[in-house]
Every structure is written in structure tokens, then in C-alpha cells.
């Protein structure tokens, strides 16, 4: 997959969303006592949020 295929992604938004997702995942990890699950959940949520925001920015 070439980087040109991902030109619609807004990389600063992706970075912020991933950071917030991992932070929220760490809070969940402390709450449930499972670090790896919390990090995985945070990364997945951050990526999904970043992609969603990038798609809406691209539509404008």
C-alpha cells in the first residue's frame, strides 16, 4: 500500500486521536487491571476516531 493511498488522512488529527485513545486506554487499564487490553483498546479507539475525523475533514 503506497503512502499516496492514505493522502486523505489528516496526520495531525490522527496523532492527537491516537494519543487521546492511548491515554483513555491507560485509564481503562488501571480500572480493570489489564494493561495490554487497555492499551489495545486505546489504540483501536484512537485509530478509529482519527480515521473518522479525517474522513469528515476530507468531505469539506
Amino acid at each position: 500500500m503506497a503512502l499516496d493511498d492514505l493522502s486523505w488522512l489528516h496526520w495531525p488529527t490522527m496523532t492527537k486521536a491516537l494519543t487521546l485513545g492511548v491515554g483513555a486506554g491507560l485509564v481503562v487499564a488501571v480500572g480493570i487491571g489489564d494493561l495490554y487490553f487497555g492499551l489495545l483498546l486505546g489504540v483501536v479507539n484512537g485509530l478509529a476516531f482519527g480515521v473518522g475525523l479525517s474522513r469528515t475533514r476530507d468531505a469539506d
Side-chain angles (χ1 to χ4, degrees), residues 5-31:
D5 295 341
L6 300 175
S7 62
W8 57 270
L9 284 175
H10 188 249
W11 292 106
T13 302
M14 288 293 296
T15 304
K16 291 175 192 174
L18 189 58
T19 303
L20 287 173
V22 169
L26 287 174
V27 170
V28 170
V30 169

Side-chain angles (χ1 to χ4, degrees), residues 3-60:
L3 192 57
D4 294 336
D5 295 341
L6 300 175
S7 62
W8 57 270
L9 284 175
H10 188 249
W11 292 106
T13 302
M14 288 293 296
T15 304
K16 291 175 192 174
L18 189 58
T19 303
L20 287 173
V22 169
L26 287 174
V27 170
V28 170
V30 169
I32 63 174
D34 189 355
L35 177 67
Y36 297 116
F37 179 71
L39 286 176
L40 178 67
L41 185 66
V43 167
V44 169
N45 283 333
L47 287 175
F49 187 67
V51 167
L53 279 178
S54 292
R55 295 286 285 184
T56 57
R57 289 178 65 97
D58 190 43
D60 291 339

